[in-house]
Amino acid sequence: ELKVEQNPLFLSMQEGKNYTIYCNYSTTSDRLYWYRQDPGKSLESLFVLLSNGAVKQEGRLMASLDTKARLSTLHITAAVHDLSATYFCAVPPAESGGSNYKLTFGKGTLLTVNP
Amino acid sequence: GAVVSQHPSWVICKSGTSVKIECRSLDFQATTMFWYRQFPKQSLMLMATSNEGSKATYEQGVEKDKFLINHASLTLSTLTVTSAHPEDSSFYICSASGGAGSGYTFGSGTRLTVV
């Protein structure tokens, strides 16, 4: 059974600081997804990481994937208040060649950026 | 980009009644639809996976007679919560695969409150 662990689950940081959210998963998978969820809203896609060593950046967020270590990181640079949200990583099973397979989600990281 | 329209965005119903939630893929054919529920401050829990024209596959512990899923076309899937009870109150989110790229597109969610 695929398990996905995120840490930390809660993160309170000051504006301007850097931090990293970690996502570990238990069985082989060749891709990983990061999502953002604002209170009362659905999920917004942030990154799709499709191969070992993949790195993607969008604004102050950068995500990477190490399939050998079964680890993905979401790095936040110089945080701003607008980044406050819950961040989820999600992993499909190993045999997925497309997106028709169910995702297993981490528990989410509630990020609060304080002025 | 791929868009999934989910309706209604919120609904309040009386205990014992049924509620139907619709998800439509607007600009692509959704070969597979996933239905999730999310309780406050928790992660997404997959309820069922449906493929167009076939019966949905339900996750363990999800009552298939209570949560009826229909995926009659490549652009429409519905979730009907039958004989709703207060414990069914939750945030329900659909997700579709089949759009461009390797991702999953999420609907905007439906907040169900059963009184």
Side-chain angles (χ1 to χ4, degrees), chain B residues 27-65:
Chain B
D27 47 4
F28 67 101
Q29 293 183 328
T31 50
T32 305
M33 194 75 80
F34 304 89
W35 287 93
Y36 297 87
R37 65 189 298 181
Q38 185 181 33
F39 292 108
K41 301 188 186 304
Q42 293 189 20
S43 187
L44 278 71
M45 294 300 298
L46 180 67
M47 299 174 67
T49 303
S50 72
N51 293 291
E52 182 264 339
S54 4
K55 289 184 178 180
T57 301
Y58 290 80
E59 295 297 301
Q60 193 171 9
V62 177
E63 299 175 61
K64 57 183 67 177
D65 293 332

Side-chain angles (χ1 to χ4, degrees), chain B residues 2-4 25-31 74-75 96-100 105:
Chain B
V3 176
V4 172
S25 54
L26 298 186
D27 47 4
F28 67 101
Q29 293 183 328
T31 50
L74 284 171
T75 59
S97 67
T105 305

Side-chain angles (χ1 to χ4, degrees), chain B residues 6 11 23 28 34 38 41 43 49 54-55 68-69 76-77 85 88 100-101 105 114-115:
Chain B
Q6 184 172 346
V11 57
C23 274
F28 67 101
F34 304 89
Q38 185 181 33
K41 301 188 186 304
S43 187
T49 303
S54 4
K55 289 184 178 180
L68 301 179
I69 291 172
L76 174 65
S77 178
H85 288 95
D88 298 324
T105 305
V114 185
V115 297

Side-chain angles (χ1 to χ4, degrees), chain A residues 2 29-35 42-50 90-105, chain B residues 1-4 28 30-36 44 46 49 93-107:
Chain A
L2 174 60
S29 183
D30 61 354
R31 60 188 61 204
L32 187 140
Y33 301 81
W34 283 99
Y35 297 94
S42 186
L43 272 64
E44 172 191 350
S45 179
L46 293 176
F47 301 108
V48 181
L49 302 169
L50 297 175
V91 182
E95 63 270 21
S96 68
S99 56
N100 291 341
Y101 295 85
K102 62 182 183 181
L103 293 174
T104 299
F105 282 82
Chain B
V3 176
V4 172
F28 67 101
T31 50
T32 305
M33 194 75 80
F34 304 89
W35 287 93
Y36 297 87
L44 278 71
L46 180 67
T49 303
I93 306 173
C94 64
S95 172
S97 67
S102 307
Y104 301 75
T105 305
F106 286 82

Side-chain angles (χ1 to χ4, degrees), chain A residues 34-95:
Chain A
W34 283 99
Y35 297 94
R36 167 182 172 144
Q37 186 178 36
D38 292 299
K41 303 290 186 181
S42 186
L43 272 64
E44 172 191 350
S45 179
L46 293 176
F47 301 108
V48 181
L49 302 169
L50 297 175
S51 61
N52 185 41
V55 177
K56 290 196 174 179
Q57 183 165 4
E58 180 74 33
R60 300 173 187 274
L61 300 178
M62 183 173 70
S64 66
L65 177 62
D66 181 343
T67 58
K68 294 180 181 178
R70 299 175 189 165
L71 170 68
S72 179
T73 60
L74 180 65
H75 187 72
I76 303 154
T77 302
V80 293
H81 179 70
D82 286 351
L83 289 179
S84 296
T86 300
Y87 293 85
F88 292 96
C89 62
V91 182
E95 63 270 21

